[in-house]
């Protein structure tokens, strides 16, 4: 188990990932953020890990409001089997420790593409999540291409990588950017957003920055 509050961040591009589950929790205070993450990790450590489970990464937002759970699984079927069996008991255990967690829901994503800054070997300690909604899959694809193209052309100091995710329905998107630190992100407010102008049919839903609080990881294969 990785318990560092800052790194290492998940390997977004590991080859054995079949589905990415993203679940935001609204908890309202830094104290409840920490308690929710600690309870989540404790509950997971108390159950047998499902075969398809790869990683669970619990991020806390820098504004103290939210926990973001970013989980990597081999397939949706493996995760759905877990939801039917072990998940209800696990969630009850978390809610006993931190009652009143607001859970807007889990979104199933696929990685649409990544843009890596080759000249920044420093580890990333901050991620920034930008969420969008699209009228249809075509609009979402156009947004993804625009984000990745912009990230390749405009190599912002301190921005290590941009990973674009599209959900299974093709109507939600998430730009996940990795930064060397908060200072690098806040120093370039205009450049920090993946794109300034959205394509037609795409709506911006919000942007938040996060640090990794704790994670659980199944060892990956050498080629993963």
């Amino acid at each position: 188990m990785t318990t560092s509050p800052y790194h290492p961040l998940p390997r977004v591009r590991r080859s054995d990932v079949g589905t990415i589950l993203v679940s935001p929790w609204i908890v309202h205070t830094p104290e409840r953020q920490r308690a929710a993450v600690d309870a989540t990790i404790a509950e997971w450590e108390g159950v047998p890990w499902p075969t398809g489970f790869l990683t669970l990464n619990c991020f806390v937002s820098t504004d103290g409001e939210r926990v973001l759970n970013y989980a990597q699984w081999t397939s949706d079927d493996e995760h759905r089997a877990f939801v039917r069996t072990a998940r209800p008991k696990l969630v009850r255990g978390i809610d006993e420790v931190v009652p009143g967690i607001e859970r807007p829901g889990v979104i199933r994503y696929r990685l649409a593409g990544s843009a890596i800054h080759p000249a920044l070997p420093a580890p990333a300690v901050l991620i920034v999540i930008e969420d969008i909604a699209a009228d249809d899959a075509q609009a979402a694809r156009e947004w993804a291409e625009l984000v990745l193209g912009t990230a390749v052309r405009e190599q912002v100091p301190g921005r290590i990588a941009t990973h674009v995710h599209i959900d299974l329905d093709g109507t939600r998107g998430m730009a996940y950017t990795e930064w060397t630190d908060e200072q690098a992100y806040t120093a370039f407010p205009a450049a920090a957003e993946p794109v300034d102008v959205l394509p037609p049919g795409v709506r911006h839903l919000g942007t938040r920055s996060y640090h990794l609080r704790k994670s659980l990881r199944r060892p990956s294969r050498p080629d993963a």
Side-chain angles (χ1 to χ4, degrees):
M1 180 182 72
T2 299
T3 58
S4 166
Y6 297 119
H7 62 273
L9 296 181
R11 293 173 56 196
V12 175
R13 299 191 299 166
R14 59 182 284 173
S15 62
D16 49 355
V17 174
T19 188
I20 300 164
L21 292 305
V22 176
S23 173
W25 294 352
I26 304 171
V27 296
H28 298 298
T29 71
E31 294 77 18
R32 283 170 58 84
Q33 281 181 320
R34 292 190 291 270
V37 171
D38 292 349
T40 299
I41 296 299
E43 288 295 322
W44 265 97
E45 289 178 328
V47 300
W49 285 8
T51 303
F53 170 78
L54 297 173
T55 74
L56 172 64
N57 306 275
C58 299
F59 293 91
V60 291
S61 62
T62 56
D63 61 8
E65 286 280 325
R66 295 190 177 209
V67 171
L68 185 77
N69 299 291
Y70 183 99
Q72 296 169 304
W73 288 69
T74 57
S75 72
D76 288 305
D77 288 343
E78 291 282 356
H79 177 257
R80 289 191 176 101
F82 164 76
V83 169
R84 291 192 299 269
T85 55
R87 185 178 182 276
K89 180 178 182 296
L90 186 149
V91 171
R92 284 195 301 271
I94 297 169
D95 288 345
E96 288 174 1
V97 177
V98 188
I101 296 174
E102 300 172 44
R103 296 182 175 90
V106 176
I107 302 177
R108 298 178 181 275
Y109 282 111
R110 300 290 188 268
L111 183 64
S114 298
I116 310 298
H117 195 320
L120 281 177
V125 301
L126 179 81
I127 70 161
V128 176
I129 300 291
E130 180 189 19
D131 292 305
I132 62 97
D135 289 346
D136 52 40
Q138 178 61 33
R141 285 193 296 270
E142 291 176 0
W143 168 80
E145 292 170 0
L146 180 59
V147 170
L148 291 171
T150 301
V152 170
R153 291 192 307 273
E154 302 175 4
Q155 295 190 351
V156 178
R159 188 171 67 194
I160 293 175
T162 299
H163 306 287
V164 176
H165 301 59
I166 300 293
D167 78 337
L168 295 187
D169 295 331
T171 56
R172 285 288 300 270
M174 183 180 80
Y176 169 129
T177 55
E178 300 175 358
W179 294 79
T180 54
D181 51 48
E182 291 185 60
Q183 289 73 27
Y185 172 62
T186 57
F188 298 91
E193 300 297 335
V195 292
D196 295 323
V197 179
L198 297 174
V202 176
R203 299 174 301 285
H204 183 254
L205 298 179
T207 302
R208 289 179 186 268
S209 57
Y210 296 85
H211 286 299
L212 180 65
R213 169 72 179 171
K214 288 185 177 180
S215 62
L216 290 171
R217 305 180 183 198
R218 184 189 300 277
S220 61
R221 300 191 313 269
D223 64 335

